[in-house]
Amino acid sequence: LLFVIGVLILVVPVFVQQFQEAASTLPEKALRLRDRTEPWVWATFKIRIPRTPGEVVLRTFDALRTQGPMVLGGLSGAVTGTFRALALSVGVLIVPVFTIYLLIDFDAVVTRSAKLVPRRFYPKVSAIASDIHRTLGQYIRGQVTANIVLATLYSVGLHFVGIPLGVPLGVMTGLFAFVPYVGFGFFFSVALILAVLEGSGILTVLGVIAVMGAVQLLDAFIITPRVVGGAVGLKPIEVLLTMMAAGTLFGFVGVLLAVPIGAVLKILVHHAAQSYLRSEYYLQEPPGAHDHETVVARAARAVADAAQEKGAS
């Protein structure tokens, strides 16, 4: 609690300051960027950039009049996509509701499920379920730790580069790092746009690329394998191989779930190996082993008897 309060005390004023500076400077920088790029756009593409909202509206009506069928087809696609996005948003909003009710009844669900397990299998099933439960909890804590580390690295790097909203942008990039490609790609694009609007030259853009690329490499080869993999008991090489295999087989979803699935599979393989090593099939001795031991024992007793008789004589 003290850590969270300290972070809020330090970060919130920086957020407010940078948002105020961006709100006061970005519109002017956008106008300057438009003035610089307008001649190049006209010379290259023969397109004039709209300068006022009224000009945007007039050009829109002209496009509707001259390219009506194509525009209507695009609008229908946009409407369909909007409804799909709304349905997805509703689904995303429903997830927390189900999560809350599931967490409330979680212990009762576990207790009722445990009663259905045959008693002779209960110790083994309980041990496996406990290991999986503990490992997934460690995975969540490790992922949160990795996100905090990434948020710190991104925000510090973008702040020193000097782009507007560097700290908030870095924090958001780190917090959304658990979504492969999407979070990084979106905020990387926003950072490049802000670097261009800043108008400080190519060095600012190169600085953004260097910071985002360096932290991404650290995340891929050091932070995620060691922090997240160490939390669930996977070695760095195991994390890398698991993510590569899952990404090749299942794509985006595979990369997203590679570490927890790999940890669960490792638990199942460990318990299976232990059961095998304790099984009668593994411990059964080869045929004739006892006969061989009997022969050896008889020979040893004969040698001992002979030595005893020799000593007596």
Side-chain angles (χ1 to χ4, degrees):
L1 184 60
L2 290 175
F3 173 76
V4 172
I5 293 175
V7 169
L8 292 177
I9 292 175
L10 294 175
V11 172
V12 170
V14 176
F15 275 39
V16 173
Q17 178 186 358
Q18 293 204 352
F19 275 110
Q20 290 176 345
E21 292 178 355
S24 61
T25 59
L26 283 180
E28 182 181 354
K29 292 176 180 178
L31 291 175
R32 289 206 303 265
L33 179 64
R34 186 198 64 186
D35 294 336
R36 291 199 305 268
T37 58
E38 188 175 19
W40 177 80
V41 172
W42 172 252
T44 305
F45 303 104
K46 302 300 179 182
I47 298 175
R48 293 195 180 276
I49 300 175
R51 305 182 68 88
T52 62
E55 190 174 352
V56 174
V57 173
L58 290 176
R59 290 195 181 186
T60 302
F61 279 111
D62 289 338
L64 288 174
R65 187 175 61 252
T66 57
Q67 301 178 357
M70 185 182 299
V71 173
L72 288 177
L75 286 176
S76 63
V79 171
T80 304
T82 302
F83 279 111
R84 289 179 180 174
L86 289 175
L88 179 61
S89 302
V90 172
V92 171
L93 293 175
I94 290 176
V95 168
V97 177
F98 281 106
T99 303
I100 291 172
Y101 283 106
L102 179 62
L103 290 176
I104 292 174
D105 296 333
F106 184 77
D107 293 335
V109 171
V110 171
T111 303
R112 290 195 296 268
S113 301
K115 292 180 179 179
L116 300 176
V117 179
R119 296 300 91 183
R120 64 182 183 276
F121 299 136
Y122 180 79
K124 176 59 67 176
V125 173
S126 177
I128 295 175
S130 298
D131 287 345
I132 291 175
H133 177 72
R134 183 174 58 255
T135 300
L136 292 181
Q138 292 172 348
Y139 165 72
I140 296 297
R141 290 187 286 273
Q143 187 65 66
V144 171
T145 303
N147 287 355
I148 293 174
V149 173
L150 290 173
T152 303
L153 294 176
Y154 280 124
S155 58
V156 171
L158 294 178
H159 176 71
F160 280 108
V161 169
I163 66 170
L165 302 175
V167 174
L169 191 61
V171 171
M172 296 301 293
T173 306
L175 295 181
F176 281 88
F178 68 93
V179 183
Y181 312 127
V182 177
F184 173 79
F186 175 77
F187 291 106
F188 179 60
S189 302
V190 174
L192 286 179
I193 292 172
L194 292 176
V196 173
L197 289 176
E198 182 65 16
S200 300
I202 191 64
L203 292 179
T204 304
V205 177
L206 294 178
V208 169
I209 296 174
V211 168
M212 301 290 279
V215 177
Q216 183 71 6
L217 290 176
L218 287 175
D219 178 33
F221 293 102
I222 297 178
I223 297 175
T224 294
R226 290 192 175 274
V227 176
V228 183
V232 299
L234 293 177
K235 298 178 181 179
I237 187 62
E238 293 175 339
V239 175
L240 293 175
L241 292 176
T242 301
M243 295 184 69
M244 291 174 60
T248 303
L249 294 174
F250 305 107
F252 174 80
V253 178
V255 176
L256 183 63
L257 302 177
V259 177
I261 291 177
V264 171
L265 289 177
K266 186 175 182 179
I267 292 172
L268 297 177
V269 170
H270 172 74
H271 280 276
Q274 292 299 317
S275 298
Y276 168 70
L277 294 176
R278 290 193 297 266
S279 65
E280 183 180 355
Y281 177 80
Y282 175 79
L283 296 175
Q284 185 177 5
E285 297 176 351
H290 293 290
D291 298 339
H292 175 71
E293 290 180 358
T294 302
V295 171
V296 173
R298 289 176 180 175
R301 281 198 302 270
V303 171
D305 293 341
Q308 186 177 3
E309 292 177 357
K310 184 177 181 181
S313 61

